[in-house]
Amino acid sequence: MNLLDKLNPVQRTAAMHTEGPLLILAGAGSGKTRVLTHRIAYMIEKGISPYNILAITFTNKAAKEMKERVNALVGNDAVWVSTFHSTCVRILRREIHHINYDNSFTIYDADDSLKLIKDCIKEANINEKQFPPKSVQAVIGGEKDKLVTAEEFERKSQSDYRLSQISKVYSLYQKRLKSNNALDFDDIIFLTVKLFTARPDILEKYQNRFQYIMVDEYQDTNFAQYSLIKLLSSKSHNLCVVGDDDQSIYGWRGADISNILDFEKDFKNATVIKLEQNYRSTQNILTAANAVINNNISRKNKVLWTENEEGRNINFYKASNDLEEAQFICEKIEEHKNTGGSYNDMAVLYRQNSLSRSVEDMLVKSNIPYKIYGGVRFYDRKEVKDVLAYLKAIYNPFDDVAFKRIINTPKRGIGDTTANKISEYAIQNEMSFFDAMKNPECLLELGTRAKRIEEFINLMEELKSFAYVNMVSEVIEYVMEKTGYIKELETEGTDEARSRIENIEELMNKAGEFEESSEDKTLSAFLEEVSLVADIDGFDDSSENVSLMTLHSSKGLEFPIVFIAGFEENIFPSYRSMFSGDLSDLEEERRLCYVGITRAENSLYLTSASQRMQHGQIVCNLPSRFLKEIPINIIDRNMQESKSKFEASGNIGKTAPINAKENMKSSFGGKNYRENPIPAPKNITLDFEIGDKVKQMKYGVGTVKDIRPAGADYEVSIEFPGVGVKKFMAHFSNLKKA
């Protein structure tokens, strides 16, 4: 049998095209890995030396799989197959001395890098609160991805105070890296390009070595990676890139879609081959995907098709709230399982990590095994574990693990050395970590740090007293305020920090639901319920699990049945993409939707909720605009309400005004959300009233329409121009009179 007989005609054409620039536009599920491996095998069979072939992927897993497949086809594993970073490290190990580094350099991971940046911030006499290290790290990494040196960054940032301060850190940071003979992750490609630019003889050496270059997932390359590939291929011009502009979803981390869109401009006389036959999904799923992505302007036209059956319609379910949405998902999972299916067949995808919490809780209650991929489980996320550690320490003063976690979280000047001394004293004197902190003899040994320990003890005693007489949700809010945890994250200002705040708000939502549904509303009962969720992964010894992951993490995977939860405006597409003013942001969200849809093989469920708790407020988001882009004849609509009044309004892009009587339904028992009178919060006063203008961090200035007691806080309804009515917890959201 001929090596290429298993390929379809278009795949075969791509595999046999070995000379000159080649762009293979590989639609979702079109067999691109098969084409790449057969192309390599064909080149070797044709007489091209495997020594002259370089194949670059984005993950070690993909590189390993490609190498194994090539070896199985032709019995030769001499082809250089690796990731961008692995390729560059191999080159730098041999050549970096040419740019005055030692070949025995070390590589700093993100934490090592962050520690060094903190030292540089301190050395530059810059206020760390004004310039959070993670923000500085992100800026420096972004500049390196654009091949901007510290010197170039200094020149271009002179007129901007913030950037000029970061420039000082960047310069110091690079000097410290150099003196430590270390590279950070971004340096690996950055310095390889610098090496090739500074030493044309070294570049030519590798151009002669790699006469045939292939790059997978080309749509995900940044400027530094593009520059590296262009340098290496500029002699032979035998560059083959494989990718799909419709699956370019990593712009937020530096990927530049123009690399694939402009391939023919950058590489003259390029050939373009489109792989449009899909082997994964039913035709209805592909019809939905094609219809959605066709609304993007910046793309190369292609239409996925399949010889598979037409298949089931897309199922859209609109629940009355997020818990009902999670219940629907679990019911469908059980339906599939009870009819002979496997849990492994199913995946629940979501735009934001915080959306997983209600689904996880319902999976636990339904006794359904699951695994989180591409991220940590909700209750295992750092910020959630930090808050729970405070609650555990308040409840149980003998919980040494909890106290060690929070003693310097957020930072209060109690370092590891001090904590270790306390721990040693506690062990030697057979007492708890907290009792050791309070011991006068131990405090004496701590010297100048004793005052900070005493302040921490007083804080914990205050939190314990508050927790004794208040509800769990009130305690969480009080802990966040008194410790300054939220304030520190707000100051950091990164996407990661905002995500952490969202997860803390989601934990507060969980506490509120617990208080409404549980007979025992004590802190101990809450911690017990949360512990059940946190530990449930081990309840089933089988390998069968429903997969939970973000849409970004799902890329490259496939499942017979896919649920996309939170299919709503302000969530998917995200609020930021809708109102950034940059069309490319919304187009990337649409590409993410395309990726999510094409993960499904046989069945696709899109779910939304009429109302959900989001960012500490109850919101009524409209169904996602992407729903209207799917042909109506292939959608089965299953609405909890007989008529979707939010869809009928046509106000896509706005949050619907909230009607307390019609929409504020409890998640438990269907009772009206405001049926029972709630007393005014204790120790909270507002400097505004109905009719006043107030300022909110995200939406700006709006008019107060309603103020109601809400347990530990006031619930405030605010109308914002062009946005509509939003609800906030006044104290938690730090609302101020404008």
Side-chain angles (χ1 to χ4, degrees), residues 329-330 332-333 336 342-350 359 363 368-373 545-551 553-555 557-565 595-601 603-607:
I329 291 171
C330 288
K332 292 300 175 184
I333 289 172
H336 178 69
S342 166
Y343 288 128
N344 287 336
D345 294 340
M346 294 169 280
V348 182
L349 313 181
Y350 34 80
V359 177
L363 287 168
I368 297 173
Y370 69 94
K371 278 187 179 179
I372 293 280
Y373 294 90
N545 294 280
V546 175
S547 298
L548 270 63
M549 66 189 75
T550 64
L551 283 147
S553 299
S554 72
K555 187 166 169 287
L557 303 176
E558 55 191 61
F559 303 90
I561 300 173
V562 167
F563 300 86
I564 302 181
V595 167
I597 291 172
T598 54
R599 297 313 92 196
E601 297 174 0
S603 299
L604 175 65
Y605 293 87
L606 309 174
T607 66

Side-chain angles (χ1 to χ4, degrees), residues 418 421 441-453:
T418 303
K421 285 183 179 179
E441 184 178 295
C442 181
L443 289 171
L444 188 63
E445 289 184 12
L446 296 176
T448 57
R449 299 293 178 188
K451 187 174 186 303
R452 290 176 179 174
I453 295 296

Side-chain angles (χ1 to χ4, degrees), residues 82-326:
S82 67
T83 65
F84 270 102
H85 288 89
S86 296
T87 297
C88 290
V89 167
R90 287 177 69 177
I91 292 171
L92 291 175
R93 284 290 179 208
R94 300 172 185 178
E95 314 291 353
I96 200 171
H97 61 277
H98 292 294
I99 51 174
N100 301 318
Y101 279 79
D102 192 284
N103 293 76
S104 61
F105 60 83
T106 56
I107 299 172
Y108 281 179
D109 62 18
D111 288 337
D112 295 329
S113 167
L114 190 62
K115 289 174 184 176
L116 187 55
I117 284 173
K118 289 179 180 179
D119 291 342
C120 294
I121 290 173
K122 185 176 180 180
E123 186 178 342
N125 294 316
I126 293 173
N127 189 326
E128 192 174 296
K129 291 183 178 179
Q130 293 179 335
F131 293 86
K134 284 194 174 181
S135 295
V136 174
Q137 184 183 41
V139 171
I140 292 174
E143 293 303 313
K144 289 184 178 183
D145 285 346
K146 291 180 283 189
L147 300 179
V148 177
T149 65
E151 295 76 20
E152 291 167 340
F153 186 62
E154 181 180 2
R155 286 195 294 272
K156 78 174 188 178
S157 62
Q158 289 176 353
S159 60
D160 186 304
Y161 172 74
R162 176 176 172 272
L163 293 181
S164 66
Q165 294 298 97
I166 294 176
S167 174
K168 294 178 184 177
V169 180
Y170 188 3
S171 297
L172 277 172
Y173 176 63
Q174 287 308 111
K175 289 176 183 176
R176 293 285 296 275
L177 280 171
K178 187 73 181 295
S179 64
N180 293 348
N181 193 36
L183 314 184
D184 68 13
F185 201 65
D186 299 304
D187 278 328
I188 293 171
I189 297 175
F190 180 84
L191 289 179
T192 306
V193 174
K194 181 180 178 180
L195 168 70
F196 287 158
T197 305
R199 293 294 301 267
D201 57 323
I202 304 297
L203 172 60
E204 187 175 16
K205 172 182 172 181
Y206 286 92
Q207 288 174 335
N208 292 335
R209 166 74 191 270
F210 302 126
Q211 296 177 26
Y212 295 86
I213 300 172
M214 284 184 283
V215 183
D216 193 14
E217 303 288 3
Y218 189 66
Q219 77 280 350
D220 294 335
T221 54
N222 60 29
F223 181 72
Q225 291 161 336
Y226 158 81
S227 301
L228 175 73
I229 293 304
K230 190 156 191 180
L231 283 168
L232 279 172
S233 64
S234 60
K235 186 175 182 180
S236 71
H237 304 291
N238 294 326
L239 171 64
C240 168
V241 301
V242 184
D244 182 5
D245 53 302
D246 290 335
Q247 296 187 70
S248 179
I249 59 174
Y250 298 118
W252 49 276
R253 69 182 189 196
D256 187 350
I257 192 174
S258 68
N259 291 346
I260 192 167
L261 293 178
D262 295 340
F263 184 82
E264 297 100 310
K265 295 178 185 177
D266 294 334
F267 300 92
K268 302 303 179 185
N269 303 314
T271 299
V272 179
I273 297 175
K274 298 178 182 179
L275 303 182
E276 297 172 291
Q277 182 175 0
N278 177 283
Y279 293 90
R280 174 189 301 158
S281 307
T282 62
Q283 185 58 56
N284 277 342
I285 289 170
L286 298 183
T287 299
N290 287 329
V292 169
I293 201 62
N294 197 47
N295 287 275
N296 273 3
I297 296 171
S298 300
R299 66 182 294 261
K300 291 180 177 292
N301 186 51
K302 54 188 166 303
V303 179
L304 294 181
W305 62 276
T306 185
E307 293 179 348
N308 296 338
E309 63 183 3
E310 184 176 80
R312 299 174 57 186
N313 279 1
I314 312 303
N315 188 298
F316 172 66
Y317 177 77
K318 184 176 181 182
S320 60
N321 54 58
D322 50 345
L323 294 185
E324 197 172 78
E325 176 189 39

